[in-house]
């Protein structure tokens, strides 16, 4: 019996009997694409060098006004897909807020998280909580929460945005609403359940004496940061190569510190070597075999946004 992934032998026959205006079509001509023999993400390994992106991001500061600062983002567009796809399920971008600016308050259905890359005295205000930003912190913007971002320092603030925007290409229910004024009333918060300081994450990673360890972010009482995307941090000892792993989750990596190389084998067998250093960002698509090596004299720390919550909720997590 023919495999379910095989296309039957009649595809070369005249299909004019199935004109498109009838609004139905023969399954046998496309079944191999709909039920392939292995996961087939459209995303491919892609890397963004921070030293190349940062000058262009600063140029954007002279083009996009403070009133439009929420849109002053360079999207991380996967080299094989169009925006908003950084992976098939994750959108990423680098956002800039200049000294003295505040991005106008608004809210949206999409869930967002921010990983702070550079700057000081930046803040995000979410539903009345004004949260100070520190480099390496993760700060959440839960769905449909009023928020604005600002910079009370003297240096540019840059962070990595991670959102579940690709989901809404097939479930088109995301939309936004602007607040009635530029700021949503907020009070400074010393601690917040939607802020994850880097010092706590690094302490957890360093407390594990293994040469390679993973820290999974989660909200109190929950398994992940949201129902769609979450995050993890990883530590590799100097000179160490982690065991390869392969799963259906996809990852958007950012290098907190250190240098190294990630050897990838995609689902179709293509090999890619990504050499990375501090502040670089790169993508590991679904079902991609990945092997990290730290090449620096000090440990390497990696941060990664993942789509694990979405896949787990649908029962789609598989590992090789």
């Amino acid at each position: 019996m023919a495999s379910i992934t095989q296309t039957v032998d009649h595809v070369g026959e005249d299909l004019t009997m199935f004109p498109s205006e009838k609004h139905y079509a023969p399954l046998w001509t496309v079944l191999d694409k709909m039920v392939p023999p292995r996961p087939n993400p459209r995303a491919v390994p892609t890397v963004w060098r921070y030293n190349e992106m940062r000058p262009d991001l600063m140029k954007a500061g002279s083009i996009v006004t403070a009133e439009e600062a929420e849109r002053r983002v360079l999207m991380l567009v996967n080299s094989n897909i169009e925006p908003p796809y950084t992976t098939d399920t994750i959108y990423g971008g680098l956002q800039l807020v200049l000294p003295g600016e505040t991005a106008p308050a608004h809210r949206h259905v999409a869930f967002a998280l921010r990983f702070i890359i550079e700057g000081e005295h930046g803040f995000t205000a979410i539903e009345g909580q004004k949260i100070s930003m520190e480099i390496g912190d993760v700060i959440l913007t839960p769905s449909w929460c009023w928020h604005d971002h600002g910079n009370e320092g003297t240096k540019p603030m840059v962070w990595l945005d991670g959102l579940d925007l690709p989901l809404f290409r097939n479930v088109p229910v995301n939309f936004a609403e602007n607040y009635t004024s530029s700021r949503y009333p907020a009070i400074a918060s010393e601690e917040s359940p939607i802020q994850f300081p880097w010092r706590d994450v690094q302490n957890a990673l360093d407390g594990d004496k293994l040469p390679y360890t993973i820290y999974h972010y989660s909200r109190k009482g929950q398994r992940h940061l949201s129902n769609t995307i979450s995050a993890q941090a990883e530590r590799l000892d100097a000179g160490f190569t982690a065991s390869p792993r392969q799963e259906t989750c996809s990852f958007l990596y950012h290098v907190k510190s250190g240098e190294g190389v990630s050897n990838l084998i995609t689902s179709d067998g293509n090999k890619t070597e990504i050499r990375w250093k501090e502040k670089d960002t790169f993508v590991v698509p679904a079902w991609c075999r990945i092997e990290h090596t730290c090449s620096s004299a000090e440990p390497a720390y990696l941060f990664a946004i993942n789509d694990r919550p979405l896949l787990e909720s649908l029962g789609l997590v598989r590992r090789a």
Side-chain angles (χ1 to χ4, degrees), residues 64-78:
V64 182
T65 66
E67 291 74 24
E68 299 175 302
E70 179 66 24
R71 297 175 179 84
R72 193 192 288 132
V73 178
L74 292 184
M75 298 184 294
L76 304 178
V77 182
N78 192 275

Side-chain angles (χ1 to χ4, degrees), residues 5-279:
T5 61
Q6 291 179 320
T7 304
V8 297
D9 295 332
H10 306 297
V11 294
E13 292 185 358
D14 185 1
L15 298 180
T16 56
M17 65 188 74
F18 306 114
S20 59
E21 60 267 20
K22 289 187 175 181
H23 303 296
Y24 52 80
L27 174 62
W28 59 87
T29 64
V30 295
L31 186 59
D32 58 332
K33 296 180 180 178
M34 297 174 64
V35 192
R38 59 182 179 274
N40 61 339
R42 293 183 299 161
V44 297
T46 308
V47 62
W48 296 269
R49 308 292 182 189
Y50 192 69
N51 61 354
E52 296 175 0
M53 287 194 67
R54 191 182 187 280
D56 288 336
L57 191 59
M58 295 304 143
K59 288 179 185 177
S62 63
I63 298 172
V64 182
T65 66
E67 291 74 24
E68 299 175 302
E70 179 66 24
R71 297 175 179 84
R72 193 192 288 132
V73 178
L74 292 184
M75 298 184 294
L76 304 178
V77 182
N78 192 275
S79 58
N80 200 45
I81 333 178
E82 72 282 355
Y85 297 100
T86 308
T87 77
D88 290 80
T89 52
I90 301 168
Y91 160 90
L94 296 188
Q95 182 166 351
L96 169 69
V97 178
L98 294 172
E101 290 184 342
T102 300
H106 64 284
R107 61 183 178 179
H108 43 68
V109 173
F111 171 86
L113 62 86
R114 331 280 178 180
F115 181 85
I116 313 306
I117 296 175
E118 71 167 272
E120 53 188 22
H121 303 299
F123 70 88
T124 186
I126 302 176
E127 289 288 334
Q129 298 180 66
K130 185 180 179 183
I131 303 169
S132 295
M133 297 174 169
E134 300 289 342
I135 291 174
D137 286 0
V138 170
I139 302 174
L140 310 184
T141 305
S143 175
W144 210 238
C145 287
W146 291 112
H147 61 281
D148 54 58
H149 312 296
N151 183 350
E152 297 173 328
T154 59
K155 300 177 181 178
M157 290 296 306
V158 179
W159 59 79
L160 171 66
D161 282 330
L163 288 87
D164 52 7
L165 289 177
L167 172 68
F168 297 102
R169 297 299 293 268
N170 293 310
V171 186
V173 295
N174 181 42
F175 62 100
E177 178 181 0
N178 292 324
Y179 191 57
T180 52
S181 61
S182 62
R183 295 294 309 278
Y184 187 85
I187 299 174
S189 175
E190 294 296 327
E191 293 185 4
S192 172
I194 57 174
Q195 180 181 27
F196 302 84
W198 175 254
R199 62 179 181 273
D200 295 341
V201 175
Q202 183 172 341
N203 286 339
L205 290 170
D206 292 346
D208 190 333
K209 302 305 181 182
L210 296 173
Y212 174 61
T213 186
I214 301 177
Y215 173 90
H216 294 280
Y217 289 79
S218 64
R219 296 175 72 177
K220 186 176 181 180
Q222 300 182 34
R223 184 172 173 82
H224 300 294
L225 295 179
S226 79
N227 294 325
T228 51
I229 59 174
S230 195
Q232 63 195 60
E234 304 176 21
R235 179 187 186 274
L236 290 110
D237 277 356
F240 185 76
T241 297
S243 298
R245 69 179 193 269
Q246 183 181 23
E247 57 184 312
T248 45
C249 298
S250 58
F251 303 90
L252 173 58
Y253 274 95
H254 182 79
V255 184
K256 172 64 173 62
S257 61
E259 297 183 10
V261 59
S262 294
N263 287 297
L264 312 179
I265 303 177
T266 62
S267 61
D268 56 3
N270 289 324
K271 296 181 180 181
T272 301
E273 179 185 87
I274 295 178
R275 293 195 172 273
W276 40 261
K277 61 183 183 299
E278 185 176 340
K279 295 186 175 69

